[in-house]
Amino acid sequence: MAKKQLGILLSGRGSNFEAIAENVEQGGINAEIAIVISDVADARGLDIARQRKLEARFLDPRGKSREDFDREVVALLVEHKVDLVCLAGFMRILSPFFIQQFPARILNIHPALLPSFKGLHAQRQALRYGVKVSGCSVHFVDDGVDSGPIIIQAVVPVLDDDTEETLSQRILKEEHRIYSQAIRWIIEDRVQIAGRRVRILETPV
Ligand code: GRF
């Protein structure tokens, strides 16, 4: 069977993408990265993609409506036969049009235990609130913000002397682990969605 094709969308550093790429290269994820797309021209993630000899494209969102931009992204993903879209620090909200093109085929990683601390600066929100544990969540993307069904979460402690930086680092380590795990389950066809609940099956669907 042909390998599943991943499409990565990012806007910055690209460390989650790098962890996924590493797992793909090592055979831990039985898929190929078909294309990496960024809405930011000088995103570090694009450089990493090019160093890895992956197809890397910048798409300029300036002067375009959300849907017009998304139509360009979707066209590129379709052209590259992408099966699964992975948002990895992609700082844009997807249009309903985009989401409809890939039903239950778009993943996102969020640096908090959803449904807590949605949106930007989740780690800062967690520190300000004073929670004792935080973590990260990989979820399907629906038409809300950080609101789709959750596939996997990881928990980390919040320490008394944590800063936004130290907490982010601790969470990031777990992000790199669980994002690849979620992708692996989906590639293996072991993920079943029932309403908001996602079940991981022992054997493929
Ligand atoms: C991560 O914290 C991720 O959870 C959030 O954006 C950040 C992206 O980091 N969605 P990187 O670009 O993958 O290093």
Side-chain angles (χ1 to χ4, degrees):
M1 209 169 56
K3 283 196 181 182
K4 289 270 187 332
Q5 302 297 306
L6 307 180
I8 310 276
L9 268 55
L10 53 78
S11 303
R13 183 176 57 182
S15 73
N16 275 287
F17 151 59
E18 214 173 350
I20 295 164
E22 202 54 42
N23 275 307
V24 166
E25 202 176 298
Q26 309 284 326
I29 296 175
N30 186 22
E32 283 167 0
I33 296 177
I35 186 160
V36 178
I37 301 172
S38 176
D39 61 332
V40 175
D42 60 356
R44 175 179 172 268
L46 277 181
D47 294 334
I48 297 168
R50 293 189 185 110
Q51 281 160 22
R52 289 180 168 270
K53 308 271 181 275
L54 295 169
E55 178 79 19
R57 296 283 283 272
F58 160 61
L59 285 182
D60 197 344
R62 283 172 299 182
K64 294 168 196 158
S65 70
R66 188 187 302 282
E67 184 166 325
D68 282 349
F69 177 76
D70 281 3
R71 281 184 186 275
E72 288 184 19
V73 177
V74 166
L76 261 185
L77 294 170
V78 170
E79 186 188 316
H80 287 79
K81 302 192 166 38
V82 165
D83 300 294
L84 183 64
V85 180
C86 304
L87 309 186
F90 188 58
M91 301 306 287
R92 296 174 62 86
I93 293 169
L94 305 189
S95 60
F97 166 77
F98 191 146
I99 293 163
Q100 281 155 22
Q101 303 310 302
F102 291 91
R105 283 284 170 262
I106 310 174
L107 306 184
N108 184 41
I109 178 118
H110 184 72
L113 294 173
L114 291 172
S116 292
F117 313 129
K118 294 178 176 177
L120 293 175
H121 308 300
Q123 302 93 333
R124 192 185 304 169
Q125 292 184 54
L127 280 174
R128 287 201 176 143
Y129 198 90
V131 290
K132 298 298 184 189
V133 294
S134 190
C136 45
S137 312
V138 179
H139 62 92
F140 286 108
V141 173
D142 65 8
D143 48 16
V145 175
D146 301 323
S147 60
I150 294 166
I151 302 164
I152 182 171
Q153 295 182 300
V155 180
V156 306
V158 177
L159 306 179
D160 288 349
D161 58 355
D162 262 338
T163 61
E164 194 177 340
E165 182 57 33
T166 57
L167 178 60
S168 299
Q169 276 307 322
R170 193 174 308 120
I171 293 173
L172 193 62
K173 210 169 151 230
E174 292 302 301
E175 292 185 34
H176 294 166
R177 182 177 66 78
I178 68 170
Y179 210 164
S180 286
Q181 178 63 267
I183 294 170
R184 197 174 298 126
W185 283 332
I186 290 180
I187 299 291
E188 292 170 356
D189 254 338
R190 291 173 52 197
V191 175
Q192 196 177 54
I193 310 175
R196 283 214 51 88
R197 299 193 69 184
V198 175
R199 266 195 227 118
I200 310 304
L201 308 173
E202 285 302 315
T203 49
V205 186

